[in-house]
Amino acid sequence: MAASTAGLSQAPLQHNESGSFTFALTSLTSLFFMWGFITCLNDILIPYLKGAFDLSYTQAMLVQFCFFGAYFIVSLPAGALVGKIGFKKGIVTGLTIASVGCLLFYPAAAIANYAVFLFALFVLASGITVLQVSANPYVSALGPSKTASSRLTMTQAFNALGTTVAPFFGAWLIFSGSEQTEVAGATAVQLPYLMLAAALFALAIVFSFLKLPDLGKTEQAELSPAKAWQFSHLRFGAIAIFLYVGAEVAIGSFLINFLHEPTIAGMSESQASQFIAYYWGGAMLGRFIGAVVMQKVAAGKVLAFNAMMSITLITIAITTEGSLAMWSILAVGLFNSIMFPTIFSLAINDLKEATSNGAGVLCLAIVGGAIVPLFQGMLADAIGVQLAFILPAFCYAYIAYYGVIGSKINIANS
């Protein structure tokens, strides 16, 4: 058997055990594309709903709080669920839940209720969480552990492709070339999310029939992360995931408002929403480059270098104006590129039978996408949008530390 049922991907599949797993990896890339696409649409929703419901920056950041808060609530149960049913059924389950979440946008828009929008986002994100817990370790298991970072980075490049395409889709269908921000205009989100619901449900049907390696089941799925928590590189990695996702989401969430500032670019929201594609497009390009570079250079060193470059670019964006500030903050996306997959693969490296719980812990840490943007929203209300970007810079400082020191494997209570 390619994998036993005693542990969740306790050892990577080898070619001589499973034959070629190119088909499995190719199939999984479609999932990375979809959740990248959906996540990036939040960056369009935030300024749109902010205008539609006359929200403060802090209130608008509740979009990300509810979306990424789902990771905190759902990740550990999702890890236990996937341990019982395996990666493939976990993927089908996640797609189905996400489809239901998209459908809930229709009644939310019909009654123009911000709270219902937030609930729909929570349900949608719950499905994405199950997908994350299933697909990320699945990709890591489909090949040698030595190249897991490179492999996960390559599939994450298609996640970035989704985030690159989404701004054009969102700007076209949600803003519709108009700057109307009345509450009645909330119905503009109905069509985009109905289309997404149909696409997600179709993918669920496709994956239920695909023949993929049977991985991920455990004899007894555990809800507690204690088994994985003994690994220091997992603990430090969870903090790194928290801060990275928080920084990435916070920057993306404020891009439209940042480019709307008269001293930066003075763009309309519709125009600025399309420039988000440069931020996420840089991440896509960087992941393809990083997948090649990390075949030759240690993943931790690449992670630390990229974090330091992000700090430099944010500093420029905070201290300058006009085109230089605009392109500096957009260029952060290029160096964000390899961070999530690299931190994830470094953190679950050599967890063996604790991989399921380890993946659950890391997805739990994605709640950083809920917390950090909320604090940046408070900063923006207090000191302005531009200076508020200092918060992500501090996040990247820790990530640089993790790449050089924190990612080294050490079992605390062995």
Side-chain angles (χ1 to χ4, degrees):
M1 295 290 290
S4 73
T5 58
L8 178 64
S9 67
Q10 63 272 41
L13 285 174
Q14 304 297 327
H15 281 281
N16 58 359
E17 293 178 306
S18 63
S20 173
F21 21 77
T22 301
F23 174 73
L25 287 171
T26 302
S27 301
L28 289 168
T29 57
S30 64
L31 302 179
F32 285 78
F33 175 88
M34 283 302 298
W35 82 55
F37 189 99
I38 289 168
T39 302
C40 186
L41 279 184
N42 289 347
D43 297 340
I44 309 294
L45 272 178
I46 288 169
Y48 186 81
L49 294 178
K50 182 179 183 297
F53 293 100
D54 193 24
L55 307 172
S56 68
Y57 284 115
T58 304
Q59 291 171 324
M61 287 305 114
L62 289 175
V63 167
Q64 302 292 27
F65 184 82
C66 288
F67 189 89
F68 288 94
Y71 285 92
F72 183 79
I73 295 172
V74 177
S75 285
L76 291 181
L81 174 66
V82 172
K84 290 180 179 179
I85 66 178
F87 291 143
K88 178 182 172 181
K89 290 183 179 178
I91 287 170
V92 174
T93 301
L95 287 167
T96 303
I97 295 172
S99 178
V100 172
C102 288
L103 287 175
L104 289 174
F105 273 75
Y106 195 91
I111 62 177
N113 188 300
Y114 187 48
V116 181
F117 270 112
L118 296 178
F119 176 72
L121 281 163
F122 180 85
V123 175
L124 171 57
S126 297
I128 299 298
T129 302
V130 178
L131 282 180
Q132 290 262 24
V133 173
S134 302
N136 280 313
Y138 207 172
V139 171
S140 293
L142 292 173
S145 59
K146 182 179 180 180
T147 56
S149 289
S150 175
R151 193 163 52 254
L152 194 54
T153 296
M154 180 59 74
T155 52
Q156 284 278 351
F158 289 89
N159 176 276
L161 176 61
T163 61
T164 303
V165 173
F168 297 104
F169 177 85
W172 173 53
L173 282 175
I174 295 177
F175 282 112
S176 301
S178 170
E179 294 304 309
Q180 181 178 346
T181 56
E182 298 175 2
V183 174
T187 56
V189 303
Q190 288 177 319
L191 179 59
Y193 281 89
L194 282 177
M195 293 168 66
L196 284 173
L200 289 167
F201 189 68
L203 276 175
I205 294 174
V206 170
F207 268 87
S208 66
F209 288 101
L210 286 181
K211 293 183 178 180
L212 299 174
D214 187 17
L215 298 174
K217 294 181 182 179
T218 61
E219 290 181 348
Q220 184 177 3
E222 298 181 15
L223 189 62
S224 170
K227 183 180 294 185
W229 205 246
Q230 64 179 311
F231 295 86
S232 65
H233 68 288
L234 184 278
R235 297 196 303 273
F236 293 139
I239 297 172
I241 288 286
F242 179 95
L243 294 175
Y244 165 69
V245 175
E248 180 193 52
V249 172
I251 293 172
S253 298
F254 278 91
L255 276 179
I256 291 178
N257 297 111
F258 183 70
L259 299 181
H260 184 62
E261 292 280 295
T263 57
I264 304 301
M267 295 181 180
S268 67
E269 290 179 340
S270 180
Q271 292 171 325
S273 64
Q274 298 184 38
F275 273 78
I276 295 176
Y278 288 98
Y279 177 68
W280 295 110
M284 177 181 65
L285 177 62
R287 282 171 182 165
F288 284 115
I289 296 171
V292 176
V293 171
M294 285 189 292
Q295 295 280 352
K296 304 293 183 181
V297 183
K301 291 181 179 179
V302 177
L303 178 64
F305 173 81
N306 280 27
M308 294 306 299
M309 288 300 300
S310 295
I311 293 171
T312 301
L313 289 167
I314 291 173
T315 301
I316 294 172
I318 290 174
T319 57
T320 63
E321 297 180 347
S323 295
L324 180 59
M326 180 183 80
W327 289 110
S328 292
I329 202 67
L330 291 173
V332 173
L334 177 65
F335 296 97
N336 273 343
S337 57
I338 56 91
M339 290 189 189
F340 183 88
T342 302
I343 295 169
F344 196 100
S345 57
L346 288 173
I348 65 171
N349 186 28
D350 205 31
L351 295 190
K352 300 180 173 65
E353 71 278 359
T355 301
S356 176
N357 287 314
V361 167
L362 293 177
C363 285
L364 188 76
I366 292 174
V367 72
I371 305 300
V372 176
L374 192 62
F375 278 103
Q376 188 163 334
M378 295 176 185
L379 278 177
D381 286 328
I383 63 176
V385 172
Q386 187 172 13
L387 288 177
F389 280 98
I390 193 171
L391 183 58
F394 282 109
C395 296
Y396 289 120
Y398 176 85
I399 293 168
Y401 158 80
Y402 182 71
V404 176
I405 299 173
S407 59
K408 297 185 184 300
I409 297 175
N410 177 36
I411 303 177
N413 298 313
S414 58

